[in-house]
Amino acid sequence: MSTSALQVALLGCGTVGSEVVRLLQEQAADFEARCGAKLELTGIAVRDLEATRPDHVPTELLTTEAEELVERADLVIELIGGIEPARSLILRAINHGASVITGNKALLAAHGPQLYQAVVDNDVDLYYEAAVAGAVPVVYALRESLAGDEVTRISGIVNGTTNVVIDMMETEGKTFAEAVKTAQDLGYAEADPSADIDGYDAAAKIAIMASIAFHSRVALDQVHTKGISELTPEQLQAAKDEGYRVKLIATAERRAEGISIWVAPSLVPLSNPLSSISGADNAVVTESKAAGRLMFTGQGAGGAPTASAVLSDVVAAAAKRVSGGHAPRELPYAALPVLASDERIGIYQVRLLVRDTVGVLAKVAQIFADAGVSIAKVQQATRARHDAVLSLTTHATSYGQLAEAISQLRECDVVANVQWVIEVEG
Amino acid sequence: MSTSALQVALLGCGTVGSEVVRLLQEQAADFEARCGAKLELTGIAVRDLEATRPDHVPTELLTTEAEELVERADLVIELIGGIEPARSLILRAINHGASVITGNKALLAAHGPQLYQAVVDNDVDLYYEAAVAGAVPVVYALRESLAGDEVTRISGIVNGTTNVVIDMMETEGKTFAEAVKTAQDLGYAEADPSADIDGYDAAAKIAIMASIAFHSRVALDQVHTKGISELTPEQLQAAKDEGYRVKLIATAERRAEGISIWVAPSLVPLSNPLSSISGADNAVVTESKAAGRLMFTGQGAGGAPTASAVLSDVVAAAAKRVSGGHAPRELPYAALPVLASDERIGIYQVRLLVRDTVGVLAKVAQIFADAGVSIAKVQQATRARHDAVLSLTTHATSYGQLAEAISQLRECDVVANVQWVIEVEG
């Protein structure tokens, strides 16, 4: 057992990185007691040495030589984000025997398997609590707390930006474009908000969670992903009138046929606790055979909350450098297939503008029946002149069958318009 | 690295124990993949070999020789409960080099330090996720997920029985005695419900959580504990009218002076998510400097959920037998003092029946001021003939000062009656 100081290298010193530096300074004595060794920050790799940074960041530790830095570290904290140079630096660190802590969801969703294997080959650890839902410890939950159980479903609100945008559209009646603009002005959305808005940030997170929970490999491009840009204030209002709230929900289900995984704006009934998650909070619900339903809620982003997640991983990784052992490994031993988009199973609400004449419902119902889609509920929502609005909710159905029905409905003479098709969360 | 089978001994085969047996059978292949070794159940110690048990429990593994069983195990799962023989058996297991998984909150709250030290001396592990809030992974959260942060407060609903009883009193207007009887009939309350009703079960759980979170020793008898037996349907109704729900809340706070820790029925505002936890669910809210507020919700009791928590610990302990390392240790390095009852700080609502005459409020207010208690809100609740009901809410105050004020109020000629004094959760 070595108790000499552990050398910690930090890659990136933005909002989260500078909070990590602060916590390492402020809680040095705590971390030493918890890890069994001092943590010594030996360098901070940045692109621009001259950029403005908080006073507590020691300028003498800044360096542009990231490659050299990771080669002499016991622990490497990667907070650069994106694929390169993050991937090469992490692999270099692992190959030099360092354990790595990262918050890089895009990298894990795209290249996780390569990193997981490198970790096994080099007998080091990879931790990434900060990659999913900020301070909310869902990676711990799936890697450790539910390791004695069989997870059957994960669903959650894991992107704060979209939640803020939808909130503004719902409560202030803003259009999508207006709400995005306001979210940008308030610092909730990035200058280029597409990764959030189009659902890819949430897709990366659910891919990571599903890989752990189902002990299988799930890649980002296997996640059926739909963003929020087509939502309208009218749709949110109509949902509210029917007792739902609209949220961007990321879901992964373990089914007999394989893993069904998607990200989509969804109707969430008020009885579901996810309906009450507002603002930038994140929440994840896990369902497992023995434990039943568990819910984890908290701040999903921001410098300090994300730094808290990073540091918990640092403490765990450091303790293992001192006393041996390793983190749970991402072994894809279950090797479950991921269902194609058409095969995934969901519940949908379809809203149609139809001619208000006798026999319309029979025609519409027949189209669903022909496609093999079973209807759970039909409601005539509104009526205007010669038209009526029909709202139909399906039973669980495959997306392929639903798409077939929708395609037929668009052809049907009594249907003026398919207003929307939206997921329903149970 | 050994990959031969690990010998698992189970002590106790009641509701949770027989679920543990079932999961060990059903998920054997999963656990082998996750741990890196087969788990072999080598014996189940019971008091009565002839008792009726579910069919899946292998009778050939039953034994009354618990002492002998633990001596030849790698992992010992203790689900007997109570202090003895659980304590002796756990110590015997540890001294023989076994790691121990237990759900025994009473034992941990009373003799935790002895067990924690034995674990260090023998270089084995002690896991106890099942001791607090069933399947809700709060022990993991405090031992690992928040190890990079400084926890400042824990509060929660950690006893399902009292939550069910209060729910019935609130929604059905039952008296305390009626609600307890119904809860017993429905299987939510034990034949002797005192450990739940009087708050000691919750007190053991908060003592365990505070010990981990604050890296200090907190004993059960240091928890200021008040049960729910004095609650009345009228009080619950009055609380509801004022926008609160009453819950038995367990709280531990890290203050400059030390740890303030208590269990008490409390007014919870509807804006606090703990107000919506109903039935037998448990919920724990942690507050920490960097992560802010996190909430964990799920089933706090029952065979399968508790078995899920036990098995997650079994997997973690087994993985460490295979690949080295150890669980985070309960090192009381912070050694924070626990504040005496009188010194703990809370917010209180005091409800007084007073003579409805001029100058009453001035007299009452003066009594609080003399005791050093600052008042945040005064409300005249109801009025009947010559009397009025005054509801006063304090600012944060020490319990000693509050008690002094209450004692003076009881002496005061304008106060007919102190109807109740109750904690207010923020």
Side-chain angles (χ1 to χ4, degrees), chain B residues 180-205:
Chain B
V180 169
K181 175 75 175 58
T182 309
Q184 284 171 322
D185 294 344
L186 296 172
Y188 286 114
E190 317 236 355
D192 174 1
S194 54
D196 294 319
I197 296 304
D198 296 337
Y200 292 106
D201 175 81
K205 291 166 179 168

Side-chain angles (χ1 to χ4, degrees), chain B residues 252-386:
Chain B
E253 278 181 0
R254 180 180 182 151
R255 305 188 67 91
E257 312 83 3
I259 296 168
S260 188
I261 183 166
W262 68 94
V263 171
S266 306
L267 298 178
V268 182
L270 295 180
S271 58
N272 183 321
L274 289 175
S275 69
S276 64
I277 303 301
S278 61
D281 271 4
N282 278 198
V284 173
V285 174
T286 62
E287 291 173 37
S288 55
K289 281 193 172 168
R293 190 181 271 218
L294 300 174
M295 179 155 157
F296 305 80
T297 319
Q299 293 179 65
T306 309
S308 171
V310 168
L311 266 301
S312 69
D313 282 350
V314 169
V315 168
K320 289 184 175 63
R321 301 297 281 204
V322 173
S323 55
H326 59 71
R329 297 268 157 83
E330 287 67 19
L331 302 172
Y333 69 84
L336 302 178
V338 179
L339 299 179
S341 284
D342 276 7
E343 293 168 329
R344 84 185 164 90
I345 306 292
I347 294 173
Y348 300 88
Q349 187 191 73
V350 179
R351 204 170 157 105
L352 304 172
L353 188 68
V354 296
R355 310 282 166 241
D356 193 8
T357 57
V358 174
V360 166
L361 182 57
K363 272 200 182 180
V364 167
Q366 191 58 48
I367 288 173
F368 279 101
D370 289 347
V373 177
S374 168
I375 299 296
K377 196 172 87 178
V378 183
Q379 208 171 335
Q380 180 160 316
T382 59
R383 181 193 286 246
R385 274 180 301 173
H386 310 300

Side-chain angles (χ1 to χ4, degrees), chain A residues 30 34 147 149 295 297 308 333, chain B residues 30 34 147 149 297 308 333:
Chain A
D30 281 307
R34 294 174 198 173
D149 208 333
M295 179 157 157
T297 318
S308 171
Y333 69 85
Chain B
D30 280 309
R34 293 174 198 175
D149 208 332
T297 319
S308 171
Y333 69 84

Side-chain angles (χ1 to χ4, degrees), chain A residues 23 27 30-31 33-34 135-137 140 144-150 215 290-299 304-305 308 311-312 315 323-326 331 333, chain B residues 23 27 30-31 33-34 135-137 140 144-150 215 290-299 304-305 308 311-312 315 323-326 331 333:
Chain A
L23 289 175
Q27 290 189 237
D30 281 307
F31 294 153
R34 294 174 198 173
V136 188
Y140 271 97
E144 309 204 36
S145 318
L146 288 164
D149 208 333
E150 186 180 318
H215 304 278
R293 191 180 271 220
L294 299 176
M295 179 157 157
F296 305 80
T297 318
Q299 293 179 63
S308 171
L311 266 300
S312 69
V315 169
S323 55
H326 59 71
L331 303 173
Y333 69 85
Chain B
L23 289 176
Q27 292 190 235
D30 280 309
F31 294 152
R34 293 174 198 175
V136 188
Y140 271 98
E144 309 203 36
S145 317
L146 288 164
D149 208 332
E150 186 180 319
H215 304 278
R293 190 181 271 218
L294 300 174
M295 179 155 157
F296 305 80
T297 319
Q299 293 179 65
S308 171
L311 266 301
S312 69
V315 168
S323 55
H326 59 71
L331 302 172
Y333 69 84

Side-chain angles (χ1 to χ4, degrees), chain A residues 69-81:
Chain A
L69 182 63
V70 302
E71 289 176 10
R72 50 189 172 82
D74 297 299
L75 304 174
V76 172
I77 304 171
E78 184 274 307
L79 297 171
I80 307 174

Side-chain angles (χ1 to χ4, degrees), chain B residues 234-252:
Chain B
E234 294 72 34
Q235 186 175 8
L236 299 183
Q237 187 56 51
K240 211 171 183 176
D241 295 343
E242 293 180 36
Y244 294 109
R245 296 196 62 187
V246 176
K247 300 286 176 187
L248 184 70
I249 303 285
T251 309

